[in-house]
Amino acid sequence: MAKVRYVAEPGHSTEATAVLLDEAHARAALETARAPHVLLDFDGRSGSGAPGSDATWVGPGLRVGGMELARLVRALDTVLLGLAEDVGATERLVPHLVSWETLRRTGYTRNFPQHLTACAVVQENLRALDRFAQAPDPVTAAAELTPAPVALAPAVCMNLFAGLADGVLPAPTTFTARGMCGRYEVGAETVATRLWSFDMRELVFVGDAAGAKSFRDTMLDAVADLARDVGLPCTLTTASDPFFTSERADLLGYQSAFSLKHELRGVPADGSSAVAVTSVNLHKQHFGLEFGITLPDGTPAHSACVGFGLDRWAEWIHGHLGGDPDNWPDVLRAAVTSPGPRRTKEGNDQCARRTRSR
């Protein structure tokens, strides 16, 4: 559910505020006419984990995970890299920032403005730098900032599409990348599954229409198989994005009519509402058109992607099963990376001799 806040401004009447609140409520209340299509409804097992015990809050929507969550994420990503290898994905490195031009071309600024986090830099002059450095509080310091041409990337795939922009794709291609993303959610500053900064692994296909649909279907099967292997309560169903603009009704209807989005939703150990841990998306020609990515025959490329929220997966599993790999399902226990070899006394002595000889 999207949330918005209104701050009263001088001269703003109660009636005007009521109109805005009514409009926001009307948008949020819109739903698709079609009921979700359930692909998987898995009761799974549950255990006695330790929800939230392995992380420290360091700011609004910001957490530092402990050793157990870090080990879980590493195991998860190892499994996902294996999945990427199975479908022939080549790995890429992506920045955690994205240009406003890329955001515009994706349609994010138009469809999901409530989740964007803009960036700013200190003005490029000596006096501004001095005033910023000496500012007694954040409000005073903010007066010296100027908007930057970038924002926090809300998704990994955006920069991958930007890297293909305005060019011909010689053959269908599958990429994978992992990156930190940022999505702001009002009122979620201390919700472990709604982090402002979170870790995501994505697999992205770009090519022809048949290839994109085949990739989407393959990923749905793979996600369902992984969910069964993990063995925790979850559902895999059609879903919709959190559109919150005046075009919400049309966008929801289009997405639902073509079953363009599916989500795997894990049920937390505390029995609270299920949380989307993975989304599988068929984009049709949207990104091909917006980014000018064409096939050799001159037609816009089709695309599809699957995104795995690593923090959410780890929180879901840790809440049920804890951080001891012995309690994890086989698929994750096998993926745990062993620590480096323990150094022997002889090795320590050799290292000490080399250090003294320098």
Side-chain angles (χ1 to χ4, degrees), residues 28-99:
L30 286 172
E31 298 290 346
T32 61
R34 295 169 49 136
H37 176 58
V38 179
L39 280 69
L40 174 70
D41 189 352
F42 191 65
D43 289 337
R45 58 174 175 156
S46 96
S48 54
S53 65
D54 193 42
T56 303
W57 290 98
V58 294
L62 308 176
R63 291 203 320 169
V64 173
M67 180 186 69
E68 294 177 357
L69 287 175
R71 184 166 50 194
L72 249 177
V73 167
R74 186 172 69 240
L76 282 164
D77 200 43
T78 298
V79 172
L80 299 179
L81 282 171
L83 172 59
E85 184 177 353
D86 289 343
V87 296
T90 57
E91 195 163 13
R92 295 290 188 270
L93 295 175
V94 295
H96 74 288
L97 300 175
V98 62
S99 73

Side-chain angles (χ1 to χ4, degrees), residues 57 61-63 183 185 188 191-198 311:
W57 290 98
L62 308 176
R63 291 203 320 169
R183 294 181 198 170
E185 295 195 46
V191 180
T193 52
R194 299 285 176 185
L195 298 178
W196 199 340
S197 175
F198 58 93
D311 306 84

